[in-house]
Amino acid sequence: MKKTILALGATVSVMAATSAGAGVLETVVQRGTLNCGTDNTAPGFGYLNTTTGQMEGLDVDFCRAVAAAVLGDATKVNFVNVTDKSRFTAVQTGQVDVVFAHTTLKPGRESAITVDFLPVNFWDGTGAMVKTELGVEGIGDLDGANLCTTQGSSTEAALANLLKANGWSNQVLTYENLEKLFGALNSGRCDAMFTDKSALAAWRANSANPADYVVLPEIIEKSPFAGFVVANDSRWRNALRWISYALIEAEERGITSANVEETLKSEDPNTLMFLGAQGTFGADFGIPADFVTQAVKQVGNYGEIYERNLGPDTTIFIDRKGTPNALSKDGGAMISPLWN
């Protein structure tokens, strides 16, 4: 089934805003589809596959998991194109119900922009990529170079801090999205492209000749990615928070899309409660009792989502081992709170 991909702004009338007096959860259920804001220029996270016409990526799969959990059907998603600059306005104005778009969780975004973040779904860091022919070995070699990044991103502030700390006066150019940002580097309009290292690795891997580019080793700022929703709607936020945790918990328990149905035959009450065969988690959140089962069955656990989009069989391949993206039991930072 072909997914609907909407452009932000011109199609606001298509995306009904939250009904007066109703929370986002009630609006989504009544509408029967989830309006999920995501990027379409970030391979591995949110990317439009022009061959299949389908959206792909870790963020895209989190959108699908929410639709599966709340509506019982992972295909009931309208993917709404957002940029670094437009993503917060999109959720504040009700044009989208949630955004999963490689967004760095920062305190100022919850306090000043007034959105509520969901659990971290990927740990990244901000870095730079240059053309190999420049012979640059590290960020310290970029004094006087033209630098570029995306508009409205946290990298803009990180770059400003970098320049101030080093006493540099480099020109900084900003672009609407990652595609235009890479185009600027490729054409020579800028010498170094600054953004999340996962995006740098993706654009390098998908370029015509990856050897033409080098991702510099330094990380100038850590970037924990998380989805976010409109502030102060605790019913919607809490439901999505625990849907996100459920994907991690399922991986911790070894419950996958292939074995979840068999796992429902377990005699372990804690497992049955987690999967919604017993207990009231779903009803308490205002969503179906089997929300965890449907998310895992239709989309997969966190590990399956990661492997599908960033694993060794992809062109990008960002190894989880030895990084915060590994499960906590494997030395990483991905962990779910208790479910009993």
Side-chain angles (χ1 to χ4, degrees), residues 271-326:
T271 298
L272 295 177
M273 184 178 297
F274 174 63
L275 294 177
Q278 294 181 5
T280 63
F281 285 149
D284 293 342
F285 285 127
I287 56 181
D290 64 345
F291 73 96
V292 174
T293 295
Q294 291 305 321
V296 174
K297 180 180 178 180
Q298 297 184 45
V299 185
N301 65 32
Y302 180 78
E304 290 178 278
I305 291 172
Y306 193 103
E307 290 298 298
R308 181 185 307 132
N309 297 294
L310 302 170
D313 293 333
T314 67
T315 58
I316 303 167
F317 184 37
I318 301 174
D319 198 345
R320 296 174 69 187
K321 294 179 182 178
T323 77
N325 292 309

Side-chain angles (χ1 to χ4, degrees), residues 126-329:
T126 303
M129 182 165 70
V130 299
K131 284 189 173 181
T132 306
E133 64 187 24
L134 290 182
V136 171
E137 296 182 356
I139 289 176
D141 297 333
L142 294 176
D143 184 12
N146 289 335
L147 314 179
C148 56
T149 190
T150 49
Q151 298 167 358
S153 66
S154 62
T155 308
E156 283 190 272
L159 265 178
N161 291 336
L162 175 71
L163 299 185
K164 184 176 181 180
N166 287 283
W168 297 349
S169 56
N170 303 54
Q171 181 179 20
V172 178
L173 307 174
T174 60
Y175 295 89
E176 181 183 10
N177 57 40
L178 291 171
E179 184 175 21
K180 293 180 179 179
L181 178 60
F182 181 74
L185 176 67
N186 190 42
S187 68
R189 292 194 299 276
C190 70
D191 302 308
M193 164 183 174
F194 278 78
T195 189
D196 305 304
K197 296 197 82 168
S198 60
L200 297 175
W203 277 95
R204 179 183 182 276
N206 288 331
S207 67
N209 188 3
D212 288 344
Y213 305 92
V214 59
V215 178
L216 301 181
E218 298 96 333
I219 291 176
I220 64 171
E221 184 177 74
K222 58 186 176 182
S223 300
F225 294 165
F228 60 91
V229 296
V230 68
N232 303 319
D233 187 336
S234 60
R235 187 171 176 83
W236 180 238
R237 179 198 64 222
N238 291 348
L240 268 60
R241 176 184 292 164
W242 286 93
I243 292 167
S244 297
Y245 280 138
L247 301 176
I248 299 169
E249 178 75 9
E251 184 184 9
E252 289 181 355
R253 293 173 182 242
I255 302 174
T256 69
S257 56
N259 69 20
V260 65
E261 289 286 357
E262 186 65 25
T263 307
L264 282 166
K265 300 176 183 178
S266 170
E267 295 183 359
D268 177 14
N270 189 272
T271 298
L272 295 177
M273 184 178 297
F274 174 63
L275 294 177
Q278 294 181 5
T280 63
F281 285 149
D284 293 342
F285 285 127
I287 56 181
D290 64 345
F291 73 96
V292 174
T293 295
Q294 291 305 321
V296 174
K297 180 180 178 180
Q298 297 184 45
V299 185
N301 65 32
Y302 180 78
E304 290 178 278
I305 291 172
Y306 193 103
E307 290 298 298
R308 181 185 307 132
N309 297 294
L310 302 170
D313 293 333
T314 67
T315 58
I316 303 167
F317 184 37
I318 301 174
D319 198 345
R320 296 174 69 187
K321 294 179 182 178
T323 77
N325 292 309
L327 292 177
S328 61
K329 67 179 183 179

